[in-house]
Amino acid sequence: PRQRLLHPVIFQLSPSDAALMEDRLEFLERSGFTIEAFGPRSFRILAVPAELASFSAEALSEAIIATLGDVSDKPGDERRDHHWAATLACRLAVKAGEILPLETARYLLQQLAEAENPFTCPHGRPIVVIFPRHDLERRFGRH
């Protein structure tokens, strides 16, 4: 399902990025985005996948632009499409040092607990590390 934006986000690209965006519009449509040309090198985002509706449209447009080269121009290239989705997720992820409201942090931890693989990011990097208690005590001088 898609979430239509109250105010479309309009952005302009370089000539090469605009050509790449034109080539990838069908893929983005299949991925749940509604993006259309809005001038020679301008585009506008009209809707986003419902799961991404909580992100600012500006953050989404920046992430899409930054990952355009990872999008497959061949329908059915699922491995490359998955890589693109993983890269987009990483770009939109909470960053180190970012302060979150307690409610948001709890929600994210709940979603993580329900994930198929809660121990790695979509690219396979660890996001959870287990330290034995005695290692923690040793590090804090309580051995």
Side-chain angles (χ1 to χ4, degrees):
R2 297 170 204 258
Q3 175 69 47
R4 290 198 58 81
L5 301 180
L6 186 58
H7 301 286
V9 175
I10 299 170
F11 55 96
Q12 190 163 353
L13 299 174
S14 68
S16 60
D17 283 346
L20 190 56
M21 177 66 86
E22 279 287 341
D23 289 343
R24 304 308 196 252
L25 285 176
E26 185 179 316
F27 168 80
L28 292 167
E29 181 74 26
R30 288 192 319 268
S31 299
F33 292 91
T34 302
I35 302 175
E36 63 184 21
F38 191 68
R41 294 185 352 235
S42 295
F43 295 84
R44 64 181 178 176
I45 302 174
L46 301 171
V48 298
E51 301 87 26
L52 301 179
S54 63
F55 291 97
S56 77
E58 289 76 14
L60 283 169
S61 64
E62 289 173 15
I64 290 168
I65 293 164
T67 59
L68 270 181
D70 293 335
V71 174
S72 175
D73 57 353
K74 299 175 192 160
D77 190 348
E78 292 168 15
R79 184 174 159 182
R80 191 162 183 187
D81 292 352
H82 175 79
H83 174 74
W84 176 78
T87 302
L88 185 66
C90 282
R91 288 200 170 267
L92 295 170
V94 175
K95 303 297 183 237
E98 187 175 339
I99 298 173
L100 298 175
L102 183 57
E103 203 173 287
T104 302
R106 284 186 177 143
Y107 173 78
L108 290 173
L109 288 171
Q110 176 190 354
Q111 293 296 307
L112 180 63
E114 295 172 8
E116 185 177 317
N117 181 358
F119 303 108
T120 63
C121 78
H123 286 107
R125 292 185 204 99
I127 57 171
V128 175
V129 179
I130 298 173
F131 287 101
R133 184 181 184 99
H134 69 276
D135 285 352
L136 285 173
E137 288 173 348
R138 184 175 41 88
R139 288 180 183 257
F140 286 95
R142 303 209 179 256
H143 44 302

